[in-house]
Amino acid sequence: MRIYSQLMPIRALTFDIDDTLYDSRPVISRVEQAVILWLLKILPSHLTFDVNSWLKLQQQLVTIDPMLKHDIRERRRKTLKIGLMQLGFRLNEAEVLAQQGIDVVIEMRNQIDIPDETHIVLKELSAHFPLIGLTNGDVDVDKIGLSQYFVEVYYAGRDGLSKPEPDLFNLAKQKFQLPAENILHVGDHLKADVHGAKQCGFQVCWFNDQKQQIPQEPKVNTLPDVEITQLSQLLEVVGIEHSTDIKTYS
């Protein structure tokens, strides 16, 4: 643990979801592979499939409509629809198939094994503080078994612009009805979480389980208040005594 500044009294916490409460990278990899296999299955044999072309199309769509940057599910859906139309499918066919593709994504996206440590820490915290989830992703916290710990979860796209924009942070502050300086945001991303939350006046705990070094991040100009490398260390940050179960992770 590393302390960068004296913490003000903490009365509530907000959490990033992906890569903070679980590692989303293998999940996203499985999602992408599932979509590729689904496309190969539905496309006629005479049509060729190029992953790079689809990635380029997605980037072009975001350039045309910057709001797609903030809504990952709509970005996926529109990329599938336009991509299928470029391959020769008619509009109505492309729309139906695009939704089928999104259904594949949703099914795979929510097949996650949440670490025991996450459950233990969130259970301890939610017994002492109100918690809100703030995510740029589209994982369903109910389906992955985390909804019982949160009074609310706000999603980029559905509820506002993605972090580091202030929309989700402001929604949390309004829900808590607390001064921003009494809210601690916990997240792994130096820009989306640390910079975004600090810009809104929140205190920030940076979850750095990937052993990043701030001096080696050239675009980082905002320090967190505290840095942890294990989620269980958060209990010490907020002043909760470690339980027997938690000590196995320390």
Side-chain angles (χ1 to χ4, degrees), residues 3 71 76 106 117 185 223 226 239 247:
I3 306 295
D71 191 334
R76 288 190 186 113
I106 292 172
E117 182 181 13
H185 179 67
L223 285 176
V226 61
K247 289 178 181 177

Side-chain angles (χ1 to χ4, degrees), residues 8-14 169-170 172-185 200-203:
M8 296 282 287
I10 298 166
R11 298 172 60 190
L13 293 90
T14 56
F169 296 109
N170 287 338
K173 185 171 68 172
Q174 292 167 14
K175 180 71 174 180
F176 286 140
Q177 290 291 292
L178 291 171
E181 61 266 25
N182 295 128
I183 303 170
L184 180 69
H185 179 67
C200 291
F202 286 40
Q203 300 185 94

Side-chain angles (χ1 to χ4, degrees), residues 50-103:
D50 179 13
V51 174
N52 291 329
S53 295
W54 286 75
L55 293 174
K56 184 178 179 180
L57 171 60
Q58 180 172 269
Q59 294 168 353
Q60 291 172 339
L61 292 174
V62 171
T63 300
I64 295 169
D65 182 4
M67 289 302 294
L68 291 176
K69 174 185 176 182
H70 303 284
D71 191 334
I72 188 170
R73 185 165 295 179
E74 180 61 16
R75 186 166 73 242
R76 288 190 186 113
R77 188 193 67 79
K78 189 160 285 188
T79 300
L80 286 170
K81 184 182 80 170
I82 301 300
L84 289 167
M85 291 176 66
Q86 290 180 347
L87 289 174
F89 288 86
R90 289 177 293 184
L91 174 60
N92 61 334
E93 295 175 320
E95 288 179 336
V96 170
L97 288 171
Q99 185 55 53
Q100 291 179 11
I102 292 300
D103 292 341

Side-chain angles (χ1 to χ4, degrees), residues 221-234:
N221 55 12
T222 306
L223 285 176
D225 296 286
V226 61
E227 173 186 341
I228 61 175
T229 56
Q230 290 181 284
L231 204 60
S232 58
Q233 293 173 326
L234 188 57

